[in-house]
Amino acid sequence: MRDYVILTDSCCDLTAQMADELGIVSIPLTLLMNDKEYHNYLDGREITPKDFYAHIRSGNMPTTSAINVGTFEEVLRSILADGKDILYLAFSSALSTTHQSACIAAEGLRTEFPDAKIHVVDTLAASMGQGLLVYLCAQQQKSGKTVDEVRDYAEKTKLNICHWFTVDDLNHLKRGGRVNSATALLGTMLAIKPVLHVDNGGHLTSVSKARGRKASLLALADEMGKTVTDAETIFISHGDCEEDVNLLANELRSRFGVKNVVINYVGPVIGAHTGAGVVALFFVGSKR
């Protein structure tokens, strides 16, 4: 059996340490802020999450870029030339053209490396929802599963990766076209916080509203209670608001006996669209 690499991109929002321990290779997306381009490496070598959210709070609005075909060709070729197969778990195709670029690059390289397997999976996931699927696939790889078996596992499992999140500032969602101006203004005045999720098509969708920050955080726990099938390990990502994350994590431990809570920042590429103060909860459930 040929060795294989599980590849993903920086929208997985795993910590660099976790990716290293799992043997995951991550390709960075990019953002442009104040006329300077930054690569969103998991280790924050070009811009740390703390610095990024400080920029956001001061009013700097970044733009983001997907990974292009040329970058994929370069990374994929280097792995294939080493005699290894590839399973790439991609950021949701509903939110980025990154998956499409990977498919184009993979198709071209299959002719160059006819004996290699290059699998591209659209996770239909974002942030640590994508990261949770990558983590679970890495566990499958460690247990001895083949690249085909792990690809099949990813396809079978991805719609059981539940994403629930809330934001503190509706104006970021307004800029991204997720809510209209009137909703953003009224919500801000009344301290109404949306509760959103990522649906089966990989899109961000508003599901309900909560009055006040604490209520919106507890609403995430309520949603988990409706569908969770495995409370052993859950992931939480956030936009530089650790106190709120700790409140949610403690609630989950108390309600569901969660043993392992993995916490990290929402990276700059996704954070550019959600703003500071986003809190996102990810777990395995019966459905999204």
Side-chain angles (χ1 to χ4, degrees), residues 120-136:
V120 178
V121 173
D122 180 1
T123 67
L124 300 171
S127 190
M128 289 184 84
Q130 178 183 340
L132 179 54
L133 186 62
V134 170
Y135 167 81
L136 293 171

Side-chain angles (χ1 to χ4, degrees), residues 14-263:
L14 292 172
T15 65
Q17 180 182 347
M18 196 170 192
D20 287 344
E21 288 171 355
L22 295 171
I24 302 299
V25 177
S26 173
I27 311 175
L29 277 77
T30 57
L31 63 148
L32 184 69
M33 190 163 54
N34 295 336
D35 297 322
K36 183 176 179 181
E37 186 177 80
Y38 300 90
H39 291 88
N40 174 207
Y41 288 102
L42 296 184
D43 62 7
R45 71 187 74 163
E46 292 193 5
I47 183 166
T48 67
K50 276 278 188 193
D51 287 344
F52 169 75
Y53 286 110
H55 277 290
I56 289 285
R57 287 186 171 111
S58 68
N60 292 329
M61 288 299 112
T63 56
T64 60
S65 301
I67 302 167
N68 60 40
V69 175
T71 298
F72 272 118
E73 286 176 343
E74 185 181 330
V75 174
L76 297 178
R77 184 178 283 111
S78 68
I79 295 170
L80 297 168
D82 202 25
K84 296 177 180 177
D85 293 333
I86 296 169
L87 171 61
Y88 172 54
L89 301 170
F91 181 36
S92 174
S93 63
L95 302 173
S96 172
T97 59
T98 292
H99 169 261
Q100 182 184 10
S101 295
C103 289
I104 293 167
E107 193 56 41
L109 288 166
R110 287 189 184 106
T111 305
E112 189 177 333
F113 297 90
D115 297 329
K117 292 180 177 179
I118 313 169
H119 296 316
V120 178
V121 173
D122 180 1
T123 67
L124 300 171
S127 190
M128 289 184 84
Q130 178 183 340
L132 179 54
L133 186 62
V134 170
Y135 167 81
L136 293 171
C137 286
Q139 305 307 312
Q140 294 289 308
Q141 182 185 35
K142 282 186 176 181
S143 74
K145 296 294 198 313
T146 67
V147 68
D148 291 341
E149 288 171 330
V150 181
R151 184 270 314 271
D152 293 345
Y153 171 84
E155 292 287 7
K156 182 183 75 174
T157 307
K158 66 187 184 184
L159 293 185
N160 296 106
I161 304 295
C162 303
H163 304 53
W164 289 96
F165 66 104
T166 186
V167 298
D168 203 32
D169 183 355
L170 283 165
N171 288 308
H172 283 278
L173 292 180
K174 182 189 78 173
R175 275 188 289 273
R178 305 294 172 190
V179 300
N180 62 36
S181 297
T183 300
L185 179 62
L186 187 64
T188 301
M189 287 171 61
L190 299 178
I192 292 171
K193 309 296 182 183
V195 176
L196 308 102
H197 84 139
V198 174
D199 65 16
N200 285 351
H203 302 89
L204 306 184
T205 307
S206 182
V207 175
S208 61
K209 298 179 180 69
R211 189 75 177 266
R213 179 65 161 176
K214 185 175 180 181
S216 71
L217 297 171
L218 295 179
L220 303 183
D222 293 343
E223 294 296 347
M224 178 170 160
K226 295 174 185 177
T227 61
V228 64
T229 57
D230 182 358
E232 182 73 21
T233 298
I234 59 102
F235 284 20
I236 304 175
S237 60
H238 66 97
D240 197 30
C241 50
E242 292 183 37
E243 196 173 307
D244 292 334
V245 170
N246 290 333
L247 185 154
L248 176 59
N250 289 334
E251 182 71 17
L252 299 176
R253 291 186 186 102
S254 171
R255 278 201 213 184
F256 307 113
V258 174
K259 302 283 193 300
N260 188 21
V261 182
V262 179
I263 297 170

